[in-house]
Amino acid sequence: MQFYLAPMEGITGYIYRNAYRDFFGDIDKYFTPFIAATSHKGLKSRELRDVLPENNEGIEVVPQILTNNATDFITTVDKLKQFGYKEVNLNLGCPSGTVVSKFKGSGFLAKREMLDEFLAEIFDRCDIKISLKTRLGKDSPDEFYELINIFNKYPMEELIIHPRVQKDYYKNTPNMAVFADAMKLSTNRVCYNGNIFKKDDYDKLVSDYKELDRVMIGRGIIGNPKLVNDIKTGDYTLDKDTLRSFHDRVFGDYYELLQDQRSVVFKMKEMWFYMGAMFEDADKYLKKIRKANTRGDYEAAVNQIFRELTLNPANGFYFG
Ligand SMILES: Cc1cc2nc3c(=O)[nH]c(=O)nc-3n(C[C@H](O)[C@H](O)[C@H](O)COP(=O)(O)O)c2cc1C
């Protein structure tokens, strides 16, 4: 089985990726949060930092691109090729209103003729591996049956399926009936993504889909960074010192980069949204983290959590 770290804007950038690799390191491919393709020569500084080879040494990184414009996609691929990238991923899943209204991300799934033409052009003109990360459709999972006929026309590296539609955002449960059909209908290799939060979720998935050989995990890993190891070994222990050191590494690297306590605290809060669930009876402690705006308040709240609470990864983050 291959394990992929899902792209999560604001969380799984190179700082998290490097710390994760050094502390846990059991991921086969790391997907970057999306790069919004443009016709400009350069990448935005945040996007550039995320893909610079010196920020990703020894890590298998796949940059993700968000666009519905083939020329912009190809321009972005050319920029990424200069850094040595041999594979990119197309975002057909982003549910955010501003993206969808421009027919990008999962909004592109509603424009199937346009999508087909776009894919024809990029697969014809790019000499780089391309994978897709898609939802089942924009409005209805039934759209998938039309989409798969389009996807099957192109020799992609893999088809990563998050079996929800746009309006689900990250709620409701993945539609496993349509995913089962996708496994049968896709002529490309399929990777599953969605709601793997515990070893049990993974075990059920692989017992239902014996031919599945790749999964992508997002929130489950942020919630418990040792999850993939739990899955592989059945050992759920995670000692507080390791988690604390991992936390401190991420915090320190953000601080070095951003040099602004409010921005760093804001970034860390996004991690705690998922990670907090591992601590027992953490609500009032997590509230202190949510309210913190200064480094001092934040560190005091974190120190208290690590000092006073029991870490129980089996509690874990669960959603949907
Ligand atoms: C905060 C957040 C940011 C995300 N950013 C991206 C992104 O940049 N690109 C993308 O394809 N998916 C993005 N996703 C979706 C995840 O990659 C993944 O498909 C989704 O969370 C379902 O998988 P999970 O249940 O394992 O988390 C994001 C999800 C969240 C919650």
Side-chain angles (χ1 to χ4, degrees):
M1 180 60 72
Q2 293 204 48
F3 291 89
Y4 301 160
L5 180 63
M8 288 178 73
E9 213 214 332
I11 302 178
T12 61
Y14 77 96
I15 286 186
Y16 188 91
R17 194 182 304 141
N18 277 273
Y20 180 90
R21 192 273 314 266
D22 290 350
F23 281 80
F24 302 100
D26 36 26
I27 287 289
D28 298 287
K29 278 188 201 174
Y30 297 77
F31 289 72
T32 71
F34 69 77
I35 294 170
T38 61
S39 52
H40 310 152
K41 278 215 186 77
L43 295 170
K44 281 195 214 127
S45 56
R46 182 181 55 77
E47 295 171 344
L48 177 66
R49 275 198 303 270
D50 206 30
V51 294
L52 279 176
E54 59 263 39
N55 288 339
N56 292 289
E57 269 170 32
I59 309 181
E60 193 61 37
V61 175
V62 179
Q64 186 188 62
I65 302 176
L66 176 84
T67 187
N68 60 14
N69 179 304
T71 308
D72 292 351
F73 183 93
I74 293 161
T75 307
T76 306
V77 163
D78 288 341
K79 295 174 205 164
L80 293 165
K81 271 169 40 184
Q82 289 170 15
F83 295 125
Y85 287 101
K86 305 233 165 3
E87 183 178 340
V88 294
N89 176 261
L90 173 70
N91 180 322
L92 292 175
C94 182
S96 130
T98 47
V99 167
V100 170
S101 63
K102 293 184 203 130
F103 303 111
K104 296 178 188 170
S106 61
F108 205 177
L109 300 175
K111 294 278 174 198
R112 290 184 277 284
E113 221 173 287
M114 200 173 120
L115 176 62
D116 194 9
E117 282 166 19
F118 169 93
L119 292 174
E121 191 168 347
I122 65 167
F123 277 93
D124 182 45
R125 290 180 50 201
C126 294
D127 55 349
I128 191 167
K129 292 180 195 164
I130 300 172
S131 64
L132 267 53
K133 179 168 180 282
T134 188
R135 292 193 180 228
L136 297 178
K138 179 174 174 293
D139 300 310
S140 156
D142 292 341
E143 291 167 31
F144 188 75
Y145 297 95
E146 233 182 277
L147 288 165
I148 192 67
N149 288 331
I150 298 174
F151 297 155
N152 280 346
K153 288 161 73 175
Y154 304 100
M156 55 191 75
E157 182 57 18
E158 55 202 0
L159 177 66
I160 304 165
I161 302 179
H162 176 203
R164 288 185 164 95
V165 294
Q166 182 264 333
K167 64 173 184 284
D168 291 326
Y169 279 76
Y170 301 105
K171 299 203 174 81
N172 305 325
T173 44
N175 185 327
M176 297 313 284
V178 179
F179 180 74
D181 287 342
M183 285 292 284
K184 288 188 209 119
L185 294 171
S186 177
T187 54
N188 289 296
R189 284 179 295 231
V190 170
C191 170
Y192 174 82
N193 166 237
N195 285 33
I196 300 177
F197 299 119
K198 306 249 160 68
K199 179 171 163 48
D200 287 354
D201 301 329
Y202 171 85
D203 288 345
K204 167 135 186 28
L205 183 76
V206 293
S207 90
D208 288 350
Y209 304 95
K210 304 238 162 9
E211 60 288 25
L212 191 67
D213 65 355
R214 52 202 68 205
V215 294
M216 171 182 270
I217 306 180
R219 294 167 298 171
I221 289 178
I222 313 305
N224 169 12
K226 201 176 144 278
L227 177 64
V228 177
N229 184 267
D230 294 352
I231 288 172
K232 288 180 178 171
T233 64
D235 169 11
Y236 299 92
T237 53
L238 168 59
D239 65 89
K240 269 201 224 176
D241 289 347
T242 305
L243 187 66
R244 178 77 213 224
S245 306
F246 172 67
H247 166 278
D248 292 353
R249 160 79 181 271
V250 175
F251 184 94
D253 287 354
Y254 273 136
Y255 209 88
E256 203 179 301
L257 173 72
L258 301 168
Q259 301 283 329
D260 169 56
Q261 51 179 338
R262 279 180 88 93
S263 315
V264 178
V265 167
F266 179 80
K267 283 262 174 220
M268 298 308 292
K269 284 181 193 177
E270 294 189 61
M271 261 171 75
W272 277 105
F273 177 74
Y274 301 98
M275 222 166 70
M278 274 193 300
F279 289 89
E280 287 184 354
D281 301 320
D283 286 357
K284 84 172 196 276
Y285 295 75
L286 294 172
K287 201 167 164 197
K288 284 191 189 162
I289 290 187
R290 284 198 298 274
K291 285 173 98 178
N293 281 317
T294 63
R295 181 175 186 164
D297 287 350
Y298 173 78
E299 282 180 340
V302 170
N303 288 341
Q304 206 185 2
I305 287 200
F306 276 101
R307 196 173 52 238
E308 294 176 17
L309 296 187
T310 306
L311 180 62
N312 182 1
N315 266 357
F317 175 80
Y318 197 86
F319 198 79

